[in-house]
Protein backbone atom coordinates (compact mmCIF):
# COMPACT_ATOMS: atom_id res chain seq x y z
CA UNK A 1 0.00 0.00 0.00
CA UNK A 2 1.15 3.54 -0.74
CA UNK A 3 1.41 5.66 2.38
CA UNK A 4 0.42 9.35 2.21
CA UNK A 5 3.18 11.86 2.87
CA UNK A 6 2.09 14.30 5.56
CA UNK A 7 4.36 17.01 4.15
CA UNK A 8 2.61 16.74 0.78
CA UNK A 9 -0.92 16.90 2.11
CA UNK A 10 -1.73 20.61 1.92
CA UNK A 11 0.11 21.17 -1.34
CA UNK A 12 -1.54 18.13 -2.93
CA UNK A 13 -5.03 19.33 -1.98
CA UNK A 14 -4.39 22.73 -3.58
CA UNK A 15 -2.82 21.12 -6.63
CA UNK A 16 -5.76 18.82 -7.23
CA UNK A 17 -8.33 21.56 -6.64
CA UNK A 18 -6.66 23.55 -9.42
CA UNK A 19 -6.98 20.55 -11.78
CA UNK A 20 -10.73 19.78 -11.90
CA UNK A 21 -10.27 16.71 -14.13
CA UNK A 22 -8.60 14.89 -11.23
CA UNK A 23 -12.05 14.53 -9.66
CA UNK A 24 -13.49 12.82 -12.76
CA UNK A 25 -11.60 9.58 -12.19
CA UNK A 26 -8.15 8.22 -11.46
CA UNK A 27 -6.20 10.18 -14.06
CA UNK A 28 -3.46 7.85 -15.33
CA UNK A 29 -2.89 9.01 -18.92
CA UNK A 30 -0.68 12.06 -18.59
CA UNK A 31 1.43 10.61 -21.41
CA UNK A 32 -1.60 11.22 -23.64
CA UNK A 33 -2.51 14.63 -22.25
CA UNK A 34 -2.36 15.98 -18.73
CA UNK A 35 -5.30 17.64 -16.94
CA UNK A 36 -5.77 21.29 -17.85
CA UNK A 37 -5.32 23.75 -14.96
CA UNK A 38 -8.31 25.92 -14.12
CA UNK A 39 -5.97 28.91 -14.25
CA UNK A 40 -5.14 28.12 -17.87
CA UNK A 41 -8.76 27.48 -18.79
CA UNK A 42 -9.73 30.91 -17.41
CA UNK A 43 -6.96 32.61 -19.38
CA UNK A 44 -8.01 30.85 -22.58
CA UNK A 45 -11.64 31.81 -22.00
CA UNK A 46 -10.60 35.46 -21.64
CA UNK A 47 -8.66 35.28 -24.91
CA UNK A 48 -11.63 33.69 -26.66
CA UNK A 49 -13.97 36.37 -25.34
CA UNK A 50 -11.61 39.15 -26.42
CA UNK A 51 -11.25 37.68 -29.91
CA UNK A 52 -15.00 37.26 -30.19
CA UNK A 53 -15.98 40.72 -28.95
CA UNK A 54 -13.01 42.84 -30.07
CA UNK A 55 -11.56 40.91 -32.96
CA UNK A 56 -8.22 39.41 -33.92
CA UNK A 57 -6.68 42.42 -35.63
CA UNK A 58 -5.30 45.81 -34.71
CA UNK A 59 -1.99 47.60 -34.40
CA UNK A 60 -1.25 46.08 -30.99
CA UNK A 61 -1.89 42.48 -32.03
CA UNK A 62 1.61 41.64 -33.27
CA UNK A 63 3.27 43.10 -30.17
CA UNK A 64 0.93 41.14 -27.91
CA UNK A 65 1.64 37.89 -29.78
CA UNK A 66 5.39 38.45 -29.49
CA UNK A 67 5.04 39.17 -25.77
CA UNK A 68 3.15 35.88 -25.31
CA UNK A 69 5.88 34.04 -27.22
CA UNK A 70 8.58 35.65 -25.08
CA UNK A 71 6.74 34.50 -21.97
CA UNK A 72 6.45 30.95 -23.29
CA UNK A 73 10.13 30.82 -24.27
CA UNK A 74 11.15 32.08 -20.83
CA UNK A 75 9.28 29.40 -18.87
CA UNK A 76 10.41 26.67 -21.30
CA UNK A 77 14.02 27.82 -20.97
CA UNK A 78 13.71 27.61 -17.19
CA UNK A 79 12.36 24.07 -17.57
CA UNK A 80 15.48 22.80 -19.38
CA UNK A 81 18.11 25.13 -17.94
CA UNK A 82 18.64 27.10 -21.12
CA UNK A 83 18.20 30.62 -22.43
CA UNK A 84 14.94 31.91 -23.97
CA UNK A 85 16.77 32.46 -27.26
CA UNK A 86 17.48 28.69 -27.31
CA UNK A 87 13.77 27.89 -27.58
CA UNK A 88 11.77 27.38 -30.78
CA UNK A 89 8.01 27.09 -30.23
CA UNK A 90 6.52 24.21 -32.21
CA UNK A 91 3.24 22.54 -33.06
CA UNK A 92 3.83 19.62 -30.71
CA UNK A 93 6.50 16.97 -30.35
CA UNK A 94 6.57 15.69 -33.94
CA UNK A 95 7.04 19.22 -35.26
CA UNK A 96 9.91 19.79 -32.80
CA UNK A 97 11.62 16.67 -34.17
CA UNK A 98 11.12 17.91 -37.74
CA UNK A 99 12.56 21.33 -36.95
CA UNK A 100 15.60 19.68 -35.37
CA UNK A 101 16.10 17.51 -38.45
CA UNK A 102 15.90 20.59 -40.66
CA UNK A 103 18.45 22.48 -38.60
CA UNK A 104 20.80 19.50 -38.58
CA UNK A 105 20.50 19.10 -42.35
CA UNK A 106 21.21 22.80 -42.87
CA UNK A 107 24.41 22.32 -40.88
CA UNK A 108 25.36 19.30 -42.97
CA UNK A 109 24.77 16.82 -40.16
CA UNK A 110 22.80 13.63 -39.87
CA UNK A 111 20.56 13.46 -36.81
CA UNK A 112 20.18 10.72 -34.21
CA UNK A 113 17.35 10.62 -31.67
CA UNK A 114 17.64 9.42 -28.08
CA UNK A 115 14.48 8.68 -26.11
CA UNK A 116 15.01 10.08 -22.62
CA UNK A 117 12.27 7.69 -21.50
CA UNK A 118 11.19 4.66 -23.51
CA UNK A 119 7.44 5.24 -23.67
CA UNK A 120 6.77 1.53 -24.26
CA UNK A 121 8.55 0.38 -21.09
CA UNK A 122 9.27 3.41 -18.88
CA UNK A 123 13.01 2.68 -19.00
CA UNK A 124 15.03 5.88 -18.55
CA UNK A 125 18.46 7.00 -19.70
CA UNK A 126 20.59 8.49 -16.93
CA UNK A 127 22.38 11.79 -17.52
CA UNK A 128 25.66 9.86 -17.86
CA UNK A 129 24.13 7.55 -20.45
CA UNK A 130 22.79 10.50 -22.45
CA UNK A 131 26.19 12.20 -22.31
CA UNK A 132 27.95 9.02 -23.46
CA UNK A 133 25.51 8.52 -26.34
CA UNK A 134 25.71 12.18 -27.34
CA UNK A 135 29.47 12.01 -27.59
CA UNK A 136 29.71 8.69 -29.41
CA UNK A 137 29.34 9.81 -33.00
CA UNK A 138 29.51 12.69 -35.48
CA UNK A 139 25.73 13.17 -35.74
CA UNK A 140 23.65 15.91 -34.22
CA UNK A 141 21.83 14.32 -31.28
CA UNK A 142 18.21 15.02 -30.41
CA UNK A 143 17.02 14.23 -26.88
CA UNK A 144 13.36 13.22 -27.22
CA UNK A 145 11.89 14.40 -23.92
CA UNK A 146 8.36 13.25 -24.71
CA UNK A 147 8.24 11.01 -21.65
CA UNK A 148 10.29 13.17 -19.30
CA UNK A 149 9.64 16.90 -19.74
CA UNK A 150 7.77 18.08 -16.68
CA UNK A 151 7.99 14.70 -14.93
CA UNK A 152 11.76 14.60 -14.47
CA UNK A 153 14.48 17.25 -14.19
CA UNK A 154 16.29 18.07 -17.44
CA UNK A 155 19.40 20.22 -17.81
CA UNK A 156 19.80 20.19 -21.56
CA UNK A 157 23.04 22.25 -21.78
CA UNK A 158 24.80 19.73 -19.52
CA UNK A 159 23.81 16.63 -21.50
CA UNK A 160 25.93 17.16 -24.58
CA UNK A 161 22.98 16.99 -26.97
CA UNK A 162 22.31 19.39 -29.81
CA UNK A 163 18.53 19.49 -29.39
CA UNK A 164 15.79 18.59 -26.91
CA UNK A 165 12.20 18.08 -28.12
CA UNK A 166 9.47 18.94 -25.61
CA UNK A 167 5.70 18.24 -25.75
CA UNK A 168 3.41 20.84 -24.22
CA UNK A 169 0.25 18.87 -23.43
CA UNK A 170 1.67 16.08 -21.26
CA UNK A 171 3.28 16.78 -17.87
CA UNK A 172 3.47 20.50 -18.71
CA UNK A 173 -0.37 20.55 -18.74
CA UNK A 174 -0.53 22.88 -21.74
CA UNK A 175 -2.98 22.85 -24.65
CA UNK A 176 -2.80 20.05 -27.19
CA UNK A 177 -0.73 20.73 -30.27
CA UNK A 178 1.93 22.73 -28.43
CA UNK A 179 5.60 22.00 -27.92
CA UNK A 180 9.11 23.35 -28.17
CA UNK A 181 12.63 22.60 -29.29
CA UNK A 182 15.69 23.53 -27.27
CA UNK A 183 18.69 24.21 -29.54
CA UNK A 184 22.36 24.39 -28.57
CA UNK A 185 22.92 27.55 -30.59
CA UNK A 186 26.68 27.55 -30.01
CA UNK A 187 27.21 24.07 -31.40
CA UNK A 188 24.73 24.60 -34.22
CA UNK A 189 26.46 27.91 -35.05
CA UNK A 190 23.26 29.87 -35.12
CA UNK A 191 21.60 32.63 -33.13
CA UNK A 192 18.11 33.11 -31.84
CA UNK A 193 17.20 35.34 -34.77
CA UNK A 194 18.55 32.73 -37.18
CA UNK A 195 16.40 29.91 -35.80
CA UNK A 196 13.83 28.89 -38.41
CA UNK A 197 10.64 30.93 -38.08
CA UNK A 198 7.43 28.95 -38.35
CA UNK A 199 5.66 29.53 -41.64
CA UNK A 200 2.53 28.94 -39.59
CA UNK A 201 3.36 30.04 -36.02
CA UNK A 202 1.54 28.79 -32.97
CA UNK A 203 -1.74 30.65 -32.41
CA UNK A 204 -1.68 33.27 -29.69
CA UNK A 205 -4.21 31.20 -27.74
CA UNK A 206 -1.99 28.12 -27.74
CA UNK A 207 1.13 30.07 -26.79
CA UNK A 208 -0.69 31.76 -23.94
CA UNK A 209 -2.05 28.45 -22.66
CA UNK A 210 1.35 26.76 -22.69
CA UNK A 211 3.02 29.71 -20.96
CA UNK A 212 0.29 29.94 -18.35
CA UNK A 213 0.30 26.21 -17.50
CA UNK A 214 4.07 25.85 -17.26
CA UNK A 215 4.50 29.19 -15.51
CA UNK A 216 1.94 28.12 -12.92
CA UNK A 217 3.75 24.81 -12.38
CA UNK A 218 7.12 26.54 -11.99
CA UNK A 219 6.08 29.47 -9.82
CA UNK A 220 3.19 28.19 -7.72
CA UNK A 221 3.46 24.40 -7.56
CA UNK A 222 7.21 23.91 -7.81
CA UNK A 223 9.03 21.66 -10.27
CA UNK A 224 11.41 20.09 -7.69
CA UNK A 225 8.42 18.92 -5.66
CA UNK A 226 6.66 17.68 -8.80
CA UNK A 227 9.73 15.73 -9.95
CA UNK A 228 10.36 14.15 -6.55
CA UNK A 229 6.73 13.23 -5.97
CA UNK A 230 6.24 11.79 -9.47
CA UNK A 231 9.28 9.53 -9.09
CA UNK A 232 8.22 8.49 -5.58
CA UNK A 233 4.65 7.63 -6.58
CA UNK A 234 5.68 5.75 -9.71
CA UNK A 235 8.38 3.82 -7.83
CA UNK A 236 6.00 2.85 -5.03
CA UNK A 237 3.37 1.80 -7.57
CA UNK A 238 5.87 -0.41 -9.40
CA UNK A 239 6.89 -2.05 -6.11
CA UNK A 240 3.26 -2.63 -5.15
CA UNK A 241 2.50 -4.19 -8.54
CA UNK A 242 5.51 -6.49 -8.21
CA UNK A 243 4.10 -7.79 -4.93
CA UNK A 244 0.81 -8.90 -6.54
CA UNK A 245 0.70 -12.53 -7.65
CA UNK A 246 -0.02 -12.71 -11.36
CA UNK A 247 1.25 -9.20 -12.14
CA UNK A 248 4.49 -8.73 -14.04
CA UNK A 249 5.98 -5.19 -13.96
CA UNK A 250 7.90 -4.40 -17.14
CA UNK A 251 9.35 -1.01 -16.14
CA UNK A 252 12.89 -1.30 -14.74
CA UNK A 253 13.21 -0.77 -10.99
CA UNK A 254 14.62 2.61 -10.09
CA UNK A 255 13.36 4.43 -13.17
CA UNK A 256 12.49 8.03 -12.18
CA UNK A 257 9.90 8.40 -14.94
CA UNK A 258 6.16 8.60 -14.32
CA UNK A 259 5.51 5.70 -16.72
CA UNK A 260 4.67 2.26 -15.32
CA UNK A 261 4.12 -0.70 -17.66
CA UNK A 262 2.87 -4.09 -16.47
CA UNK A 263 1.03 -7.24 -17.48
CA UNK A 264 -1.78 -9.11 -15.69
CA UNK A 265 -1.62 -12.85 -16.35
CA UNK A 266 -4.70 -14.19 -18.11
CA UNK A 267 -5.95 -10.74 -19.13
CA UNK A 268 -5.77 -8.84 -22.37
CA UNK A 269 -4.90 -5.19 -21.99
CA UNK A 270 -8.26 -4.11 -23.40
CA UNK A 271 -10.27 -6.32 -21.05
CA UNK A 272 -8.26 -5.28 -18.00
CA UNK A 273 -8.47 -1.58 -18.88
CA UNK A 274 -12.23 -1.85 -19.33
CA UNK A 275 -12.65 -3.42 -15.88
CA UNK A 276 -10.34 -0.90 -14.22
CA UNK A 277 -12.29 1.91 -15.81
CA UNK A 278 -15.67 0.49 -14.82
CA UNK A 279 -14.73 -0.46 -11.25
CA UNK A 280 -12.62 2.51 -10.08
CA UNK A 281 -12.95 5.00 -12.98
CA UNK A 282 -9.30 4.56 -13.93
CA UNK A 283 -8.45 6.65 -17.00
CA UNK A 284 -5.79 4.79 -18.97
CA UNK A 285 -4.25 5.46 -22.33
CA UNK A 286 -3.94 2.92 -25.16
CA UNK A 287 -1.63 -0.03 -24.39
CA UNK A 288 1.83 0.13 -26.00
CA UNK A 289 1.55 -3.56 -26.97
CA UNK A 290 -0.84 -6.47 -26.76
CA UNK A 291 -1.56 -7.70 -23.24
CA UNK A 292 0.41 -4.85 -21.67
CA UNK A 293 -1.03 -2.03 -19.55
CA UNK A 294 0.60 1.37 -19.25
CA UNK A 295 -0.15 4.09 -16.75
CA UNK A 296 1.52 7.49 -16.61
CA UNK A 297 1.48 9.03 -13.16
CA UNK A 298 1.53 12.71 -12.27
CA UNK A 299 2.37 14.44 -9.01
CA UNK A 300 -1.34 15.31 -8.79
CA UNK A 301 -2.28 11.66 -8.25
CA UNK A 302 -3.11 10.81 -4.65
CA UNK A 303 -1.94 7.79 -2.71
CA UNK A 304 -5.55 6.92 -1.93
CA UNK A 305 -6.61 6.68 -5.56
CA UNK A 306 -3.48 4.73 -6.51
CA UNK A 307 -4.24 2.28 -3.69
CA UNK A 308 -7.77 1.83 -5.04
CA UNK A 309 -6.30 1.20 -8.46
CA UNK A 310 -3.82 -1.34 -7.04
CA UNK A 311 -6.58 -3.10 -5.09
CA UNK A 312 -8.53 -3.54 -8.31
CA UNK A 313 -5.47 -4.78 -10.20
CA UNK A 314 -5.04 -7.33 -7.39
CA UNK A 315 -8.68 -8.39 -7.79
CA UNK A 316 -8.23 -8.90 -11.53
CA UNK A 317 -4.98 -10.82 -11.01
CA UNK A 318 -6.75 -13.24 -8.67
CA UNK A 319 -9.31 -14.10 -11.35
CA UNK A 320 -9.77 -14.62 -15.03
CA UNK A 321 -12.27 -12.61 -17.06
CA UNK A 322 -14.64 -15.57 -16.68
CA UNK A 323 -14.32 -15.96 -12.88
CA UNK A 324 -14.20 -12.29 -11.91
CA UNK A 325 -17.09 -11.40 -9.57
CA UNK A 326 -19.70 -9.30 -11.26
CA UNK A 327 -19.77 -5.62 -10.46
CA UNK A 328 -22.62 -4.46 -8.26
CA UNK A 329 -25.41 -2.98 -10.32
CA UNK A 330 -27.16 0.26 -9.49
CA UNK A 331 -30.89 -0.34 -9.25
CA UNK A 332 -33.04 2.67 -10.08
CA UNK A 333 -36.46 2.52 -8.46
CA UNK A 334 -39.36 4.19 -10.13
CA UNK A 335 -41.35 6.55 -7.96
CA UNK A 336 -44.51 5.46 -9.75
CA UNK A 337 -47.46 7.62 -10.64
CA UNK A 338 -49.34 9.34 -7.86
CA UNK A 339 -52.65 7.68 -7.22
Amino acid sequence: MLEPNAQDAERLVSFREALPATSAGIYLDTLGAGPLPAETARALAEVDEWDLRTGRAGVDRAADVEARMDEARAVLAALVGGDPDDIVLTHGLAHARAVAAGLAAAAGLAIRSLAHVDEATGATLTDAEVQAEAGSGPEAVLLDAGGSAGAMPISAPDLGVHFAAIPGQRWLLGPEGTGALWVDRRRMRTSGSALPPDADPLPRRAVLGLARSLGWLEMYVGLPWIHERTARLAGATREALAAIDGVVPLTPAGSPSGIVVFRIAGWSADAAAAELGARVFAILGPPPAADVLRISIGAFNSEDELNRFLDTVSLLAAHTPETLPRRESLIVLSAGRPG
Side-chain angles (χ1 to χ4, degrees), residues 82-172:
D83 184 272
D85 284 341
D86 302 335
I87 301 296
V88 182
L89 299 175
T90 66
H91 296 270
L93 189 61
H95 185 216
R97 296 173 183 142
V99 172
L103 281 170
L109 296 172
I111 191 166
R112 179 161 52 98
S113 180
L114 297 177
H116 201 188
V117 176
D118 184 339
E119 295 179 9
T121 66
T124 304
L125 293 177
T126 66
D127 286 358
E129 289 170 331
V130 173
Q131 290 164 349
E133 286 287 337
S136 66
E139 308 99 332
V141 175
L142 167 69
L143 181 71
D144 190 322
S148 59
M152 295 166 44
I154 301 172
S155 181
D158 298 326
L159 295 176
V161 298
H162 298 72
F163 308 102
I166 304 161
Q169 83 279 10
R170 295 180 176 180
W171 281 272
L172 303 189

Side-chain angles (χ1 to χ4, degrees), residues 2 12 29 37 40 57 62 90 108 122 135 165 199-200 203 209 219 225 245 254 268 282 301 321:
L2 278 64
L12 180 61
D29 188 25
T40 302
T90 66
D200 187 12
M219 291 182 281
W225 178 79
D245 288 339
S268 70
N301 287 121

Side-chain angles (χ1 to χ4, degrees), residues 1-3 230-242 306 310:
M1 298 291 285
L2 278 64
E3 295 295 332
T230 301
R232 173 159 43 90
L233 288 177
T237 300
R238 282 192 294 271
E239 291 179 5
L241 287 168
L306 288 172
L310 289 166

Side-chain angles (χ1 to χ4, degrees), residues 8-37:
D8 285 359
E10 185 174 345
R11 184 180 290 190
L12 180 61
V13 169
S14 298
F15 194 16
R16 288 175 63 85
E17 286 178 348
L19 299 171
T22 59
S23 65
I26 304 177
Y27 204 109
L28 295 172
D29 188 25
T30 305
L31 187 63
L36 191 69

